[in-house]
Every structure is written in C-alpha cells, then in structure tokens.
Amino acid sequence: YVLWLLAQSGLICLGPMEGKQQTFVLLDEWVPDSPELPKDEALARLALRYFGGHGPATVRDFAWWTGLSMKDAGLGLELAKDQLHCEKNGGREFWMSRSAAQAAEPMPHAALLPGFDEFFLGYKDREDVLDPKYVESVIPGKNGIFQPIVVKDGRVAGTWKRTVSKRGVEIHVHPFEKDGLAENDVSAEIRRYSAFAGLPVLATNMA
C-alpha cells in the first residue's frame, strides 16, 4: 500500500528487475523531463503513435484505448491523418501508418501470443479477430484475466499454455474448433518459443 501510494503520487515508479525481485526508482531520476505540448499537438502525436503501433484500427478503438472523448480522439486523428493511411471496410475506416500499409513482408501464418497481448487487448472492437462465441474461452468468467491466444491468419483460433519443468517445456494448444488448428500450423512458433526460453520442447499437445 505504501509503494502504491508513492507511485500514485508520482514519487516512484517501477525499475529494473534484480533477479526475481522488483525494484523501484525515483521517477524524477528515471524519467527525463519532457516538454509540455499544446493540446492539439499532443493529440496529434498520440494519434500517430497509437495508429502506428496498433493499426489498422478505428477512431473508436483510439478513444477507448486512450480514454479520450470521441471529440478529442477525432480531433487527434484529423490532425494526424495526412501522415496515416486509411482503408475502408464494412462502412468503417481503419487507420494505420503508411509504412505498415506499404509493408511487403507477409504476417506470420500463426502466432503464439501471451495473455494481455495488445493484438487483442488494444481495441474496443474485437469481433474482427475473435468470434464472439469464443470470448469466454479467452476471458473465462469475463473477469479481466486474458488467456494466452493462438492467432492463425489474423484471427484468434484457440488458446495455449505451457508447463515448465527442469527438463524442458510442454506446450498445450486448445483450438476452438476441431479442424481450426493443426500441429504443423504452430510448429514453427513452438520452435521459436523454445529458442527464446532456452528450453527443449518435451511434448506438444493439441486438444
């Protein structure tokens, strides 16, 4: 409670980990001074950064993620849109950085993402990437706890978890639909995770 109070009052913030222990640092020493921006410039910068990191996204997504009013979110987008790219789909406008729109490299066929990943968490409208009937599988009990997800061709196709031991790691993949995921869909991602964790994969379970 004391640490929470000191953080909320702007005296401290999270610092680097020391082993398994979280450290705290003085905010004034850890975060350099930043200039105060006029409101319009601040909104434009925020819009550029959000759509640059989350695009394609809508202005409703931007307002939800930032906590801005729709009026201010719309103003930020209006001020920044000459530096963004827009695609229209289903009567909605989706904004993204120009570099993302011009990217030639295809997205991975499948990805194993952690819980609370911005791919899923960073948007108000999530039906574009997840069938509503599977929301309970990703957010059991709708209690704010998000399960790690498997994304295939841009849509959430299942959940996954790991079981770690001294010998290695077991990967458990739970497809939403019987034929929605196969082991070869995620095999490359599992190898990447194994290399990242520095652990051999003992088994891959699909159920």
Side-chain angles (χ1 to χ4, degrees):
Y1 288 108
V2 173
L3 290 171
W4 176 87
L5 177 62
L6 294 175
Q8 289 295 310
S9 61
L11 181 64
I12 65 172
C13 64
L14 295 178
M17 298 292 292
E18 288 188 359
K20 296 183 179 181
Q21 297 299 315
Q22 178 67 61
T23 68
F24 296 86
V25 294
L26 291 171
L27 181 64
D28 288 344
E29 294 181 0
W30 193 252
V31 180
D33 290 335
S34 56
E36 291 189 13
L37 301 175
K39 179 179 178 179
D40 286 2
E41 185 178 350
L43 289 173
R45 282 200 194 186
L46 190 56
L48 280 173
R49 293 187 180 189
Y50 174 78
F51 290 109
H54 291 76
T58 67
V59 67
R60 291 181 73 241
D61 294 325
F62 176 46
W64 176 84
W65 190 84
T66 57
L68 293 171
S69 66
M70 282 296 295
K71 179 181 178 181
D72 281 345
L75 175 58
L77 175 58
E78 183 66 27
L79 293 169
K81 69 180 185 181
D82 62 340
Q83 300 178 64
L84 298 169
H85 175 79
C86 180
E87 292 282 349
K88 296 183 179 181
N89 185 285
R92 293 184 294 165
E93 291 184 341
F94 292 84
W95 296 86
M96 68 196 83
S97 67
R98 290 180 176 176
S99 60
Q102 297 168 359
E105 185 176 345
M107 295 292 290
H109 170 61
L112 301 178
L113 300 181
F116 302 98
D117 191 87
E118 283 291 293
F119 175 86
F120 187 69
L121 210 67
Y123 308 89
K124 179 176 179 60
D125 301 311
R126 297 170 181 156
E127 292 186 14
D128 293 312
V129 297
L130 176 67
D131 190 317
K133 66 184 177 183
Y134 297 124
V135 169
E136 280 279 345
S137 298
V138 177
I139 320 170
K142 297 183 179 179
N143 60 0
I145 302 300
F146 290 70
Q147 301 298 310
I149 56 176
V150 184
V151 176
K152 178 183 176 182
D153 296 330
R155 292 186 61 81
V156 182
T159 60
W160 71 286
K161 66 178 182 178
R162 61 184 184 171
T163 301
V164 179
S165 68
K166 292 181 179 180
R167 296 188 301 116
V169 59
E170 293 185 13
I171 303 294
H172 309 268
V173 178
H174 306 286
F176 293 150
E177 299 178 2
K178 184 178 180 180
D179 299 324
L181 283 170
E183 187 169 342
N184 62 353
D185 289 326
V186 295
S187 57
E189 279 293 283
I190 289 173
R191 288 194 297 271
R192 287 182 65 232
Y193 176 78
S194 172
F196 169 77
L199 294 170
V201 175
L202 304 176
T204 300
N205 302 306
M206 304 285 295

